Short mmCIF file of all heavy atoms in Angstrom, two decimals:
data_model
loop_
_atom_site.label_atom_id
_atom_site.label_comp_id
_atom_site.label_asym_id
_atom_site.label_seq_id
_atom_site.Cartn_x
_atom_site.Cartn_y
_atom_site.Cartn_z
N GLY A 17 1.10 19.62 4.15
CA GLY A 17 2.35 20.22 3.68
C GLY A 17 3.22 20.72 4.80
O GLY A 17 4.27 21.31 4.55
N GLY A 18 2.82 20.48 6.06
CA GLY A 18 3.59 20.93 7.20
C GLY A 18 4.69 19.96 7.56
O GLY A 18 4.90 18.93 6.91
N ARG A 19 5.37 20.24 8.66
CA ARG A 19 6.55 19.47 9.05
C ARG A 19 6.20 18.04 9.43
O ARG A 19 7.00 17.12 9.24
CB ARG A 19 7.24 20.18 10.22
CG ARG A 19 8.58 19.59 10.63
CD ARG A 19 9.25 20.45 11.67
NE ARG A 19 8.42 20.63 12.85
CZ ARG A 19 8.38 19.76 13.87
NH1 ARG A 19 9.10 18.66 13.82
NH2 ARG A 19 7.61 20.00 14.92
N VAL A 20 5.01 17.81 10.01
CA VAL A 20 4.65 16.46 10.46
C VAL A 20 3.35 15.97 9.82
O VAL A 20 2.80 14.96 10.26
CB VAL A 20 4.51 16.42 12.00
CG1 VAL A 20 5.83 16.70 12.67
CG2 VAL A 20 3.44 17.39 12.49
N SER A 21 2.87 16.65 8.78
CA SER A 21 1.61 16.28 8.14
C SER A 21 1.87 15.73 6.73
O SER A 21 2.99 15.82 6.22
CB SER A 21 0.70 17.50 8.07
OG SER A 21 1.30 18.53 7.30
N PRO A 22 0.85 15.18 6.09
CA PRO A 22 1.03 14.69 4.73
C PRO A 22 1.36 15.82 3.76
O PRO A 22 1.15 17.00 4.05
CB PRO A 22 -0.35 14.09 4.39
CG PRO A 22 -0.97 13.80 5.70
CD PRO A 22 -0.49 14.87 6.62
N PRO A 23 1.88 15.48 2.58
CA PRO A 23 2.12 16.50 1.55
C PRO A 23 0.81 17.18 1.17
O PRO A 23 -0.29 16.64 1.40
CB PRO A 23 2.67 15.69 0.38
CG PRO A 23 3.19 14.43 0.97
CD PRO A 23 2.31 14.14 2.15
N ARG A 24 0.92 18.37 0.57
CA ARG A 24 -0.27 19.06 0.08
C ARG A 24 -1.05 18.16 -0.87
O ARG A 24 -0.51 17.28 -1.53
CB ARG A 24 0.10 20.35 -0.65
CG ARG A 24 0.72 21.42 0.20
CD ARG A 24 0.71 22.76 -0.52
NE ARG A 24 0.98 22.70 -1.95
CZ ARG A 24 2.12 23.04 -2.53
NH1 ARG A 24 3.15 23.47 -1.79
NH2 ARG A 24 2.26 22.98 -3.84
N VAL A 25 -2.36 18.42 -0.96
CA VAL A 25 -3.22 17.60 -1.80
C VAL A 25 -2.81 17.69 -3.26
O VAL A 25 -2.80 16.68 -3.98
CB VAL A 25 -4.69 18.02 -1.61
CG1 VAL A 25 -5.60 17.17 -2.49
CG2 VAL A 25 -5.10 17.88 -0.15
N ASP A 26 -2.49 18.90 -3.74
CA ASP A 26 -2.09 19.03 -5.15
C ASP A 26 -0.78 18.32 -5.43
O ASP A 26 -0.56 17.80 -6.54
CB ASP A 26 -2.00 20.50 -5.56
CG ASP A 26 -0.99 21.29 -4.74
OD1 ASP A 26 -0.89 21.05 -3.51
OD2 ASP A 26 -0.29 22.15 -5.31
N VAL A 27 0.09 18.25 -4.44
CA VAL A 27 1.36 17.52 -4.60
C VAL A 27 1.09 16.02 -4.72
O VAL A 27 1.66 15.34 -5.58
CB VAL A 27 2.29 17.83 -3.42
CG1 VAL A 27 3.52 16.92 -3.44
CG2 VAL A 27 2.72 19.30 -3.44
N LEU A 28 0.21 15.51 -3.88
CA LEU A 28 -0.12 14.09 -3.95
C LEU A 28 -0.86 13.76 -5.24
O LEU A 28 -0.64 12.69 -5.83
CB LEU A 28 -0.96 13.70 -2.73
CG LEU A 28 -0.19 13.58 -1.42
CD1 LEU A 28 -1.14 13.53 -0.24
CD2 LEU A 28 0.71 12.35 -1.42
N GLU A 29 -1.74 14.65 -5.67
CA GLU A 29 -2.46 14.41 -6.93
C GLU A 29 -1.47 14.30 -8.09
O GLU A 29 -1.54 13.38 -8.91
CB GLU A 29 -3.45 15.53 -7.21
CG GLU A 29 -4.22 15.31 -8.52
CD GLU A 29 -4.95 16.54 -9.00
OE1 GLU A 29 -4.50 17.67 -8.69
OE2 GLU A 29 -5.94 16.39 -9.73
N ARG A 30 -0.53 15.23 -8.15
CA ARG A 30 0.47 15.19 -9.23
C ARG A 30 1.29 13.88 -9.16
O ARG A 30 1.50 13.21 -10.18
CB ARG A 30 1.39 16.40 -9.10
CG ARG A 30 2.71 16.32 -9.85
CD ARG A 30 2.59 16.61 -11.33
NE ARG A 30 3.91 16.46 -11.96
CZ ARG A 30 4.86 17.40 -11.99
NH1 ARG A 30 4.63 18.59 -11.43
NH2 ARG A 30 6.01 17.17 -12.60
N ALA A 31 1.74 13.52 -7.96
CA ALA A 31 2.54 12.30 -7.82
C ALA A 31 1.71 11.07 -8.21
O ALA A 31 2.24 10.14 -8.85
CB ALA A 31 3.05 12.17 -6.39
N TRP A 32 0.44 11.05 -7.83
CA TRP A 32 -0.43 9.91 -8.14
C TRP A 32 -0.60 9.74 -9.65
O TRP A 32 -0.46 8.63 -10.18
CB TRP A 32 -1.78 10.12 -7.47
CG TRP A 32 -2.67 8.91 -7.44
CD1 TRP A 32 -3.85 8.74 -8.08
CD2 TRP A 32 -2.46 7.69 -6.70
NE1 TRP A 32 -4.40 7.52 -7.79
CE2 TRP A 32 -3.55 6.85 -6.94
CE3 TRP A 32 -1.44 7.25 -5.84
CZ2 TRP A 32 -3.67 5.58 -6.37
CZ3 TRP A 32 -1.54 5.98 -5.28
CH2 TRP A 32 -2.65 5.17 -5.55
N PHE A 33 -0.88 10.84 -10.34
CA PHE A 33 -1.07 10.74 -11.78
C PHE A 33 0.26 10.53 -12.52
O PHE A 33 0.29 9.84 -13.55
CB PHE A 33 -1.80 11.97 -12.30
CG PHE A 33 -3.26 12.01 -11.92
CD1 PHE A 33 -3.88 13.19 -11.54
CD2 PHE A 33 -4.03 10.86 -11.93
CE1 PHE A 33 -5.22 13.22 -11.18
CE2 PHE A 33 -5.37 10.87 -11.57
CZ PHE A 33 -5.97 12.06 -11.20
N ASP A 34 1.35 11.08 -11.99
CA ASP A 34 2.66 10.80 -12.59
C ASP A 34 2.95 9.30 -12.56
O ASP A 34 3.51 8.74 -13.51
CB ASP A 34 3.77 11.56 -11.86
CG ASP A 34 3.90 13.01 -12.31
OD1 ASP A 34 3.22 13.40 -13.29
OD2 ASP A 34 4.70 13.74 -11.71
N LYS A 35 2.57 8.65 -11.46
CA LYS A 35 2.81 7.22 -11.32
C LYS A 35 1.93 6.41 -12.26
O LYS A 35 2.41 5.55 -13.02
CB LYS A 35 2.59 6.80 -9.87
CG LYS A 35 2.55 5.29 -9.63
CD LYS A 35 3.89 4.64 -9.87
CE LYS A 35 3.82 3.14 -9.61
NZ LYS A 35 5.14 2.50 -9.86
N TRP A 36 0.62 6.67 -12.24
CA TRP A 36 -0.31 5.76 -12.90
C TRP A 36 -0.69 6.19 -14.30
O TRP A 36 -1.20 5.36 -15.07
CB TRP A 36 -1.56 5.60 -12.04
CG TRP A 36 -1.22 5.06 -10.68
CD1 TRP A 36 -1.34 5.71 -9.49
CD2 TRP A 36 -0.69 3.76 -10.36
NE1 TRP A 36 -0.92 4.92 -8.45
CE2 TRP A 36 -0.51 3.71 -8.96
CE3 TRP A 36 -0.34 2.64 -11.12
CZ2 TRP A 36 -0.01 2.59 -8.31
CZ3 TRP A 36 0.15 1.53 -10.47
CH2 TRP A 36 0.31 1.49 -9.09
N LEU A 37 -0.49 7.46 -14.67
CA LEU A 37 -0.78 7.89 -16.04
C LEU A 37 0.49 8.03 -16.87
O LEU A 37 0.46 7.86 -18.09
CB LEU A 37 -1.54 9.22 -16.05
CG LEU A 37 -2.88 9.26 -15.32
CD1 LEU A 37 -3.59 10.59 -15.58
CD2 LEU A 37 -3.78 8.09 -15.73
N LYS A 38 1.61 8.33 -16.21
CA LYS A 38 2.88 8.49 -16.94
C LYS A 38 3.86 7.34 -16.70
O LYS A 38 4.87 7.23 -17.39
CB LYS A 38 3.55 9.81 -16.55
CG LYS A 38 2.81 11.04 -17.04
CD LYS A 38 3.61 12.30 -16.74
CE LYS A 38 2.94 13.53 -17.33
NZ LYS A 38 3.73 14.77 -17.08
N GLY A 39 3.59 6.53 -15.69
CA GLY A 39 4.46 5.40 -15.42
C GLY A 39 5.76 5.74 -14.75
O GLY A 39 6.73 4.96 -14.82
N LEU A 40 5.84 6.90 -14.06
CA LEU A 40 7.07 7.30 -13.38
C LEU A 40 7.21 6.56 -12.05
O LEU A 40 6.26 6.47 -11.26
CB LEU A 40 7.07 8.81 -13.13
CG LEU A 40 7.03 9.72 -14.36
CD1 LEU A 40 7.11 11.17 -13.94
CD2 LEU A 40 8.14 9.38 -15.33
N ASP A 41 8.39 6.05 -11.79
CA ASP A 41 8.65 5.33 -10.55
C ASP A 41 9.05 6.34 -9.48
O ASP A 41 10.21 6.51 -9.15
CB ASP A 41 9.77 4.31 -10.77
CG ASP A 41 10.02 3.46 -9.53
OD1 ASP A 41 9.14 3.46 -8.64
OD2 ASP A 41 11.06 2.80 -9.47
N ASN A 42 8.02 7.01 -8.92
CA ASN A 42 8.28 8.11 -7.98
C ASN A 42 8.03 7.75 -6.53
O ASN A 42 8.12 8.60 -5.64
CB ASN A 42 7.43 9.34 -8.36
CG ASN A 42 5.94 9.04 -8.36
OD1 ASN A 42 5.50 7.96 -7.95
ND2 ASN A 42 5.14 9.99 -8.82
N GLY A 43 7.69 6.50 -6.24
CA GLY A 43 7.53 6.05 -4.87
C GLY A 43 6.20 6.37 -4.22
O GLY A 43 6.01 6.06 -3.05
N VAL A 44 5.24 6.96 -4.96
CA VAL A 44 3.97 7.31 -4.33
C VAL A 44 3.19 6.06 -3.92
O VAL A 44 2.39 6.09 -2.98
CB VAL A 44 3.12 8.21 -5.26
CG1 VAL A 44 2.56 7.43 -6.44
CG2 VAL A 44 2.00 8.89 -4.48
N ASP A 45 3.44 4.94 -4.62
CA ASP A 45 2.77 3.70 -4.25
C ASP A 45 3.32 3.12 -2.95
O ASP A 45 2.74 2.19 -2.38
CB ASP A 45 2.88 2.68 -5.38
CG ASP A 45 4.31 2.46 -5.84
OD1 ASP A 45 5.09 3.43 -5.82
OD2 ASP A 45 4.65 1.33 -6.22
N GLU A 46 4.45 3.67 -2.47
CA GLU A 46 5.01 3.24 -1.19
C GLU A 46 4.57 4.14 -0.04
O GLU A 46 4.92 3.90 1.11
CB GLU A 46 6.54 3.23 -1.28
CG GLU A 46 7.07 2.26 -2.33
CD GLU A 46 8.55 2.46 -2.58
OE1 GLU A 46 9.18 3.24 -1.83
OE2 GLU A 46 9.07 1.85 -3.52
N TYR A 47 3.83 5.21 -0.36
CA TYR A 47 3.33 6.11 0.68
C TYR A 47 2.20 5.41 1.43
O TYR A 47 1.48 4.58 0.90
CB TYR A 47 2.81 7.40 0.04
CG TYR A 47 2.30 8.41 1.05
CD1 TYR A 47 3.20 9.08 1.88
CD2 TYR A 47 0.96 8.70 1.17
CE1 TYR A 47 2.74 10.01 2.81
CE2 TYR A 47 0.49 9.62 2.08
CZ TYR A 47 1.39 10.27 2.91
OH TYR A 47 0.94 11.18 3.82
N GLY A 48 2.00 5.76 2.70
CA GLY A 48 0.88 5.23 3.49
C GLY A 48 1.01 3.75 3.76
O GLY A 48 1.97 3.32 4.39
N PRO A 49 0.08 2.92 3.31
CA PRO A 49 -1.08 3.25 2.48
C PRO A 49 -2.26 3.84 3.27
O PRO A 49 -3.19 4.36 2.69
CB PRO A 49 -1.46 1.90 1.87
CG PRO A 49 -1.05 0.90 2.91
CD PRO A 49 0.21 1.45 3.52
N VAL A 50 -2.21 3.72 4.61
CA VAL A 50 -3.28 4.28 5.44
C VAL A 50 -2.66 5.35 6.34
O VAL A 50 -1.87 5.05 7.22
CB VAL A 50 -3.96 3.19 6.30
CG1 VAL A 50 -4.96 3.82 7.24
CG2 VAL A 50 -4.63 2.15 5.40
N THR A 51 -3.01 6.59 6.06
CA THR A 51 -2.44 7.74 6.79
C THR A 51 -3.57 8.43 7.55
O THR A 51 -4.54 8.88 6.94
CB THR A 51 -1.76 8.71 5.82
OG1 THR A 51 -0.79 7.99 5.03
CG2 THR A 51 -1.07 9.83 6.57
N LEU A 52 -3.45 8.47 8.87
CA LEU A 52 -4.54 8.94 9.72
C LEU A 52 -4.09 10.08 10.62
O LEU A 52 -3.03 10.00 11.23
CB LEU A 52 -5.04 7.79 10.61
CG LEU A 52 -5.38 6.45 9.95
CD1 LEU A 52 -5.70 5.42 11.02
CD2 LEU A 52 -6.54 6.61 8.99
N GLN A 53 -4.92 11.10 10.72
CA GLN A 53 -4.72 12.13 11.73
C GLN A 53 -5.53 11.70 12.95
O GLN A 53 -6.74 11.86 13.00
CB GLN A 53 -5.17 13.50 11.24
CG GLN A 53 -4.80 14.62 12.20
CD GLN A 53 -5.17 15.99 11.68
OE1 GLN A 53 -5.97 16.13 10.74
NE2 GLN A 53 -4.61 17.03 12.26
N GLN A 54 -4.83 11.14 13.90
CA GLN A 54 -5.50 10.57 15.07
C GLN A 54 -6.07 11.69 15.95
O GLN A 54 -5.35 12.59 16.37
CB GLN A 54 -4.50 9.73 15.85
CG GLN A 54 -5.11 8.79 16.85
CD GLN A 54 -4.07 7.85 17.42
OE1 GLN A 54 -2.99 8.30 17.83
NE2 GLN A 54 -4.36 6.57 17.46
N GLN A 55 -7.36 11.63 16.21
CA GLN A 55 -7.97 12.64 17.07
C GLN A 55 -7.34 12.56 18.46
O GLN A 55 -7.25 11.49 19.05
CB GLN A 55 -9.48 12.42 17.15
CG GLN A 55 -10.19 12.58 15.81
CD GLN A 55 -11.69 12.61 15.98
OE1 GLN A 55 -12.28 13.61 16.40
NE2 GLN A 55 -12.33 11.50 15.66
N GLY A 56 -6.89 13.71 18.96
CA GLY A 56 -6.22 13.74 20.24
C GLY A 56 -4.76 13.34 20.15
O GLY A 56 -4.05 13.35 21.16
N GLY A 57 -4.29 12.99 18.96
CA GLY A 57 -2.91 12.56 18.77
C GLY A 57 -2.26 13.29 17.62
O GLY A 57 -2.37 14.50 17.49
N MET A 58 -1.60 12.54 16.74
CA MET A 58 -0.87 13.16 15.63
C MET A 58 -1.07 12.29 14.39
O MET A 58 -1.79 11.30 14.40
CB MET A 58 0.61 13.26 16.00
CG MET A 58 1.27 11.93 16.35
SD MET A 58 2.94 12.13 17.00
CE MET A 58 3.77 12.89 15.60
N TRP A 59 -0.43 12.71 13.30
CA TRP A 59 -0.48 11.94 12.07
C TRP A 59 0.30 10.64 12.22
O TRP A 59 1.41 10.63 12.76
CB TRP A 59 0.11 12.75 10.92
CG TRP A 59 -0.81 13.81 10.40
CD1 TRP A 59 -0.76 15.15 10.68
CD2 TRP A 59 -1.90 13.63 9.50
NE1 TRP A 59 -1.78 15.81 10.00
CE2 TRP A 59 -2.48 14.89 9.27
CE3 TRP A 59 -2.45 12.51 8.86
CZ2 TRP A 59 -3.58 15.08 8.43
CZ3 TRP A 59 -3.54 12.69 8.02
CH2 TRP A 59 -4.10 13.96 7.83
N THR A 60 -0.30 9.54 11.75
CA THR A 60 0.37 8.25 11.77
C THR A 60 0.14 7.55 10.43
O THR A 60 -0.80 7.87 9.70
CB THR A 60 -0.16 7.34 12.89
OG1 THR A 60 -1.53 7.01 12.61
CG2 THR A 60 -0.06 8.02 14.25
N SER A 61 0.99 6.59 10.13
CA SER A 61 0.81 5.77 8.93
C SER A 61 0.84 4.31 9.31
O SER A 61 1.52 3.90 10.26
CB SER A 61 1.92 6.04 7.90
OG SER A 61 1.72 7.28 7.25
N GLY A 62 0.10 3.50 8.57
CA GLY A 62 0.07 2.07 8.83
C GLY A 62 -0.41 1.31 7.62
O GLY A 62 -0.61 1.88 6.54
N GLN A 63 -0.62 0.02 7.80
CA GLN A 63 -0.98 -0.84 6.68
C GLN A 63 -2.48 -1.06 6.54
O GLN A 63 -2.94 -1.52 5.49
CB GLN A 63 -0.29 -2.20 6.85
CG GLN A 63 1.20 -2.15 6.60
CD GLN A 63 1.54 -1.83 5.16
OE1 GLN A 63 1.00 -2.44 4.24
NE2 GLN A 63 2.42 -0.87 4.96
N SER A 64 -3.27 -0.73 7.57
CA SER A 64 -4.69 -1.04 7.48
C SER A 64 -5.48 -0.19 8.47
O SER A 64 -4.93 0.45 9.36
CB SER A 64 -4.94 -2.53 7.77
OG SER A 64 -4.54 -2.85 9.10
#
């Protein structure tokens, strides 16, 4: 939930269930899909 980190876990949980249980087009399926906190580095996102 910080400036350069992923959203809070409860925020992601809500967005995930809103998408797949309610069918809301909220863009959570466009997040990541692989989000890594690189040891010695910072948060990054990629495809695999």
Side-chain angles (χ1 to χ4, degrees):
R19 187 174 57 85
V20 296
S21 61
R24 294 195 322 256
V25 179
D26 60 321
V27 170
L28 285 166
E29 180 194 27
R30 163 79 182 277
W32 193 246
F33 288 140
D34 278 354
K35 169 67 180 179
W36 301 113
L37 301 188
K38 291 186 175 181
L40 298 183
D41 184 15
N42 58 7
V44 72
D45 53 326
E46 299 169 8
Y47 182 70
V50 175
T51 305
L52 310 174
Q53 188 176 17
Q54 196 171 48
Q55 297 190 77
M58 58 188 298
W59 283 101
T60 66
S61 285
Q63 289 294 311
S64 63

